[in-house]
Coordinates of all heavy atoms in Angstrom, one line a residue:
D717 N -54.5 -46.6 24.1 CA -53.1 -46.7 24.5 C -52.1 -46.3 23.4 O -51.1 -45.7 23.6 CB -52.8 -48.2 24.9 CG -53.7 -48.6 26.1 OD1 -54.0 -47.8 26.9 OD2 -54.0 -49.8 26.2
Q718 N -52.5 -46.6 22.1 CA -51.7 -46.2 21.0 C -51.6 -44.6 20.9 O -50.6 -44.1 20.7 CB -52.2 -46.7 19.7 CG -52.2 -48.3 19.6 CD -52.9 -48.8 18.3 OE1 -52.8 -48.1 17.3 NE2 -53.5 -49.9 18.4
L719 N -52.8 -44.0 21.1 CA -52.8 -42.6 21.1 C -51.9 -42.0 22.2 O -51.2 -41.0 22.0 CB -54.2 -42.1 21.2 CG -55.1 -42.3 20.0 CD1 -56.6 -41.9 20.4 CD2 -54.6 -41.5 18.8
V720 N -52.0 -42.6 23.4 CA -51.2 -42.1 24.5 C -49.7 -42.2 24.2 O -48.9 -41.3 24.4 CB -51.6 -42.8 25.8 CG1 -50.5 -42.5 26.9 CG2 -53.0 -42.5 26.3
N721 N -49.3 -43.4 23.7 CA -47.9 -43.6 23.4 C -47.4 -42.6 22.3 O -46.3 -42.1 22.3 CB -47.7 -45.0 22.9 CG -47.9 -46.0 24.0 OD1 -47.8 -45.7 25.2 ND2 -48.3 -47.2 23.7
R722 N -48.3 -42.4 21.3 CA -48.0 -41.5 20.2 C -47.8 -40.0 20.7 O -46.9 -39.3 20.4 CB -49.1 -41.5 19.1 CG -48.8 -40.6 18.0 CD -47.8 -41.1 17.0 NE -47.7 -40.3 15.8 CZ -48.4 -40.5 14.7 NH1 -49.3 -41.5 14.7 NH2 -48.3 -39.7 13.7
S723 N -48.7 -39.7 21.6 CA -48.6 -38.3 22.2 C -47.4 -38.1 23.1 O -46.8 -37.1 23.0 CB -49.9 -38.0 23.0 OG -51.1 -38.1 22.2
I724 N -47.1 -39.2 23.8 CA -45.9 -39.1 24.7 C -44.6 -38.9 23.8 O -43.7 -38.1 24.1 CB -45.8 -40.3 25.6 CG1 -46.9 -40.2 26.7 CG2 -44.4 -40.4 26.3 CD1 -47.0 -41.4 27.6
Q725 N -44.5 -39.7 22.7 CA -43.4 -39.6 21.9 C -43.3 -38.2 21.2 O -42.2 -37.6 21.1 CB -43.5 -40.7 20.8 CG -43.3 -42.1 21.3 CD -43.4 -43.1 20.2 OE1 -43.6 -42.8 19.0 NE2 -43.3 -44.4 20.6
Q726 N -44.5 -37.7 20.8 CA -44.5 -36.4 20.1 C -44.2 -35.2 21.1 O -43.6 -34.2 20.7 CB -45.8 -36.2 19.4 CG -45.9 -34.9 18.6 CD -47.3 -34.8 17.9 OE1 -48.1 -35.7 18.0 NE2 -47.5 -33.6 17.3
G727 N -44.7 -35.4 22.3 CA -44.6 -34.3 23.3 C -45.8 -33.3 23.2 O -46.6 -33.4 22.3
F728 N -45.8 -32.4 24.1 CA -46.9 -31.4 24.1 C -46.4 -30.0 24.2 O -45.2 -29.8 24.6 CB -47.8 -31.7 25.4 CG -48.4 -33.0 25.5 CD1 -47.7 -34.1 26.1 CD2 -49.6 -33.3 24.9 CE1 -48.2 -35.4 26.2 CE2 -50.1 -34.6 25.0 CZ -49.4 -35.6 25.6
C729 N -47.2 -29.1 23.8 CA -46.8 -27.7 23.9 C -47.9 -26.9 24.6 O -49.1 -27.3 24.5 CB -46.5 -27.0 22.6 SG -48.0 -26.8 21.5
F730 N -47.6 -25.9 25.4 CA -48.5 -25.1 26.2 C -48.0 -23.7 26.2 O -46.8 -23.5 26.6 CB -48.7 -25.7 27.5 CG -49.9 -25.1 28.3 CD1 -51.2 -25.3 27.7 CD2 -49.8 -24.5 29.5 CE1 -52.3 -24.7 28.4 CE2 -50.9 -24.0 30.2 CZ -52.1 -24.1 29.6
N731 N -48.8 -22.8 25.8 CA -48.4 -21.4 25.8 C -49.3 -20.5 26.7 O -50.5 -20.5 26.6 CB -48.5 -20.9 24.3 CG -47.8 -21.8 23.3 OD1 -46.7 -22.2 23.6 ND2 -48.4 -22.0 22.2
I732 N -48.6 -19.8 27.6 CA -49.3 -19.0 28.6 C -49.0 -17.5 28.3 O -47.8 -17.1 28.2 CB -48.9 -19.4 30.0 CG1 -49.1 -20.8 30.3 CG2 -49.6 -18.5 31.0 CD1 -48.7 -21.3 31.6
L733 N -50.0 -16.7 28.3 CA -49.8 -15.2 28.2 C -50.1 -14.6 29.5 O -51.2 -14.8 30.1 CB -50.8 -14.7 27.1 CG -50.9 -13.1 27.0 CD1 -49.6 -12.5 26.6 CD2 -52.0 -12.7 26.1
C734 N -49.2 -13.9 30.1 CA -49.3 -13.2 31.4 C -49.5 -11.7 31.1 O -48.6 -11.1 30.6 CB -48.1 -13.5 32.3 SG -47.8 -15.2 32.6
V735 N -50.7 -11.2 31.5 CA -51.0 -9.8 31.3 C -51.2 -9.2 32.7 O -52.0 -9.7 33.5 CB -52.3 -9.6 30.4 CG1 -52.6 -8.2 30.3 CG2 -52.1 -10.3 29.1
G736 N -50.5 -8.1 32.9 CA -50.6 -7.4 34.2 C -49.5 -6.3 34.3 O -48.6 -6.3 33.5
E737 N -49.7 -5.5 35.2 CA -48.8 -4.3 35.4 C -47.4 -4.8 35.8 O -47.3 -5.9 36.4 CB -49.4 -3.4 36.5 CG -50.7 -2.8 36.1 CD -51.3 -1.9 37.2 OE1 -50.7 -1.8 38.2 OE2 -52.4 -1.4 37.0
T738 N -46.5 -4.0 35.6 CA -45.1 -4.3 36.0 C -45.0 -4.4 37.5 O -45.4 -3.6 38.2 CB -44.1 -3.2 35.5 OG1 -44.3 -3.1 34.1 CG2 -42.7 -3.6 35.8
G739 N -44.3 -5.5 38.0 CA -44.1 -5.7 39.4 C -45.3 -6.3 40.1 O -45.3 -6.3 41.4
I740 N -46.3 -6.8 39.4 CA -47.4 -7.4 40.1 C -47.2 -8.8 40.5 O -48.0 -9.4 41.2 CB -48.7 -7.2 39.2 CG1 -50.0 -7.3 40.0 CG2 -48.7 -8.3 38.1 CD1 -51.2 -6.9 39.2
G741 N -46.1 -9.5 40.0 CA -45.8 -10.8 40.4 C -46.1 -11.9 39.4 O -46.3 -13.1 39.7
K742 N -46.0 -11.5 38.1 CA -46.3 -12.5 37.0 C -45.2 -13.6 37.0 O -45.5 -14.8 37.0 CB -46.4 -11.8 35.7 CG -47.5 -10.7 35.6 CD -47.6 -10.1 34.3 CE -46.4 -9.3 33.8 NZ -46.2 -8.1 34.7
S743 N -44.0 -13.1 36.9 CA -42.9 -14.1 36.8 C -42.8 -15.0 38.0 O -42.5 -16.2 37.9 CB -41.5 -13.4 36.6 OG -41.6 -12.6 35.5
T744 N -43.0 -14.5 39.2 CA -42.9 -15.3 40.4 C -44.0 -16.3 40.5 O -43.8 -17.5 40.8 CB -43.1 -14.3 41.7 OG1 -42.1 -13.3 41.6 CG2 -42.9 -15.1 43.0
L745 N -45.2 -16.0 40.0 CA -46.3 -17.0 40.0 C -46.0 -18.1 39.0 O -46.2 -19.3 39.3 CB -47.6 -16.3 39.6 CG -48.8 -17.2 39.6 CD1 -49.1 -17.8 41.0 CD2 -50.1 -16.5 39.1
I746 N -45.5 -17.7 37.8 CA -45.1 -18.8 36.8 C -44.0 -19.7 37.4 O -44.1 -20.9 37.2 CB -44.7 -18.1 35.5 CG1 -45.9 -17.4 34.9 CG2 -44.2 -19.2 34.5 CD1 -47.0 -18.3 34.5
D747 N -43.0 -19.1 38.0 CA -42.0 -20.0 38.6 C -42.6 -20.9 39.7 O -42.2 -22.1 39.7 CB -40.9 -19.1 39.3 CG -40.1 -18.3 38.3 OD1 -40.2 -18.6 37.1 OD2 -39.4 -17.4 38.7
T748 N -43.5 -20.4 40.5 CA -44.1 -21.2 41.5 C -45.0 -22.3 40.9 O -45.1 -23.4 41.4 CB -44.9 -20.4 42.5 OG1 -44.2 -19.2 42.8 CG2 -45.3 -21.1 43.7
L749 N -45.8 -22.0 39.8 CA -46.7 -22.9 39.2 C -45.9 -24.2 38.7 O -46.3 -25.3 38.9 CB -47.4 -22.3 38.0 CG -48.7 -21.5 38.3 CD1 -49.2 -20.8 37.1 CD2 -49.7 -22.4 38.9
F750 N -44.7 -23.9 38.1 CA -44.0 -25.0 37.5 C -42.8 -25.4 38.3 O -42.0 -26.3 37.8 CB -43.5 -24.6 36.0 CG -44.7 -24.5 35.1 CD1 -45.3 -23.3 34.8 CD2 -45.2 -25.6 34.4 CE1 -46.4 -23.2 34.0 CE2 -46.2 -25.5 33.5 CZ -46.8 -24.3 33.3

Side-chain angles (χ1 to χ4, degrees):
D717 298 330
Q718 296 176 34
L719 290 175
V720 169
N721 295 332
R722 179 76 173 271
S723 299
I724 289 175
Q725 291 177 4
Q726 184 180 356
F728 302 89
C729 70
F730 193 59
N731 306 320
I732 303 176
L733 171 65
C734 299
V735 181
E737 299 175 0
T738 305
I740 203 170
K742 302 186 292 294
S743 301
T744 304
L745 181 65
I746 294 297
D747 291 348
T748 313
L749 276 174
F750 291 94

